[in-house]
Amino acid sequence: MKRRTFLQAATVGAAAGSVAMPAIAQSAPEIRWRLTSGFPKSLDTLFGGGELLSKYVSEATDGKFQIQTFAAGEIVGTPQAADAVGNGTVEMAHSCSYYYIGKDPTFAIGTNLPFGLNSRQTNAWLYHGDGNKLLNEFYAKYNLFALPAGNTGAQMGGWFRKEIKTVQDLSGLKMRIAGLAGQIMGKLGVVPQQIAGGDLYPSLERGTIDAAEWVAPYDDEKLGLNKVAPYYYYPGFWEGGPAIHFFINLEKWNALPKSYQAAVQAAAGYANVDTQAKYDARNPAALRSLIGAGAQLRPFSAEIMEAAYKAANEIYDELSASNPSFKKLYDSYKAFRGEEYLWFQVAEYAYDTFMIRARARG
């Protein structure tokens, strides 16, 4: 009797399986997407974020969801990436939101505001301060959905052909600098220039520009900027914790099976952590190498920092008064920044300050 009961149960189970399997198969369709990166392959840490996403999404879906990654310029250039996603030319982009402030200055907040949040605080705002929720409400106007995709940590202030000690030294200086930072530096006398990373070296070498900011030692060394502009300034106060995003066509995102959405979100989260981990691991050796090759490390003067801080707040007030989208996001960002630095000045600042001094003593 027990044997007969077991066989009956097995038969019922097999029948149920024959019904369930087609449903499962239908929920895991074959999908092929294209992702246009905002970065060249030579910048492996930045470009690598898109490759990581593709790898893990494929593995999580047994190869049924494939995302092919293309370097900047292979399909469209970086400035056109957001439009290409919004209009469906490609399904995804891996880029920085502030590249698209020509559409609306609000795009700047998606990456970082000068004198804004550091990288940890940026993640806290995006994930737990409604930051990415508010951004996606804004991005939806452009048929975009975005997920955090990486951070560089605080960047360097860039390479200068001459020493910069005062605000007056900035007058008339032609500098490659992107986003709202260009407008802020413009208030200090700088003439902002929009130049792609691959064109920075020849532009500095020929004297077409006098200064250029990019990212940090690991990437800057790859570009060889120290060979044509010896003064290396810090900090890049315009990018204290700049976020990178995966931009996805909103309609394509909404059409994905929930399991595929979960795979993309999980892979994006890994890329978000991995990008800064790589920079933090690689920047120290690169900085030593640059200094060993003759780079002159310099801090921006207090005068320049204070003048830039004042100019930044003037611009934010102007934008908030004229642009409701900017005001909505900036109000959230500013309030969160106030709370974060209230906390960071306690344990974080005390610990980091001690460790820096202890390291200096040996």
Side-chain angles (χ1 to χ4, degrees), residues 159-162 172-175 203-204 207-212 229:
W159 298 89
F160 292 73
R161 287 160 56 92
K162 67 175 185 177
L173 184 140
K174 297 187 293 296
M175 181 179 182
S203 297
L204 282 167
T208 306
I209 57 174
D210 307 302

Side-chain angles (χ1 to χ4, degrees), residues 130-196:
D130 284 337
N132 213 57
K133 175 178 175 289
L134 292 171
L135 283 168
N136 275 323
E137 289 175 0
F138 167 72
Y139 293 143
K141 301 176 186 178
Y142 301 89
N143 199 30
L144 300 172
F145 175 82
L147 293 168
N151 204 298
T152 66
Q155 294 191 3
M156 295 293 285
W159 298 89
F160 292 73
R161 287 160 56 92
K162 67 175 185 177
E163 283 194 88
I164 304 296
K165 297 180 178 180
T166 67
V167 173
Q168 184 60 38
D169 292 334
L170 295 171
S171 181
L173 184 140
K174 297 187 293 296
M175 181 179 182
R176 185 275 179 193
I177 187 166
L180 291 181
Q183 297 180 30
I184 291 165
M185 294 298 279
K187 279 180 168 280
L188 275 57
V190 168
V191 182
Q193 308 288 311
Q194 297 288 341
I195 301 175

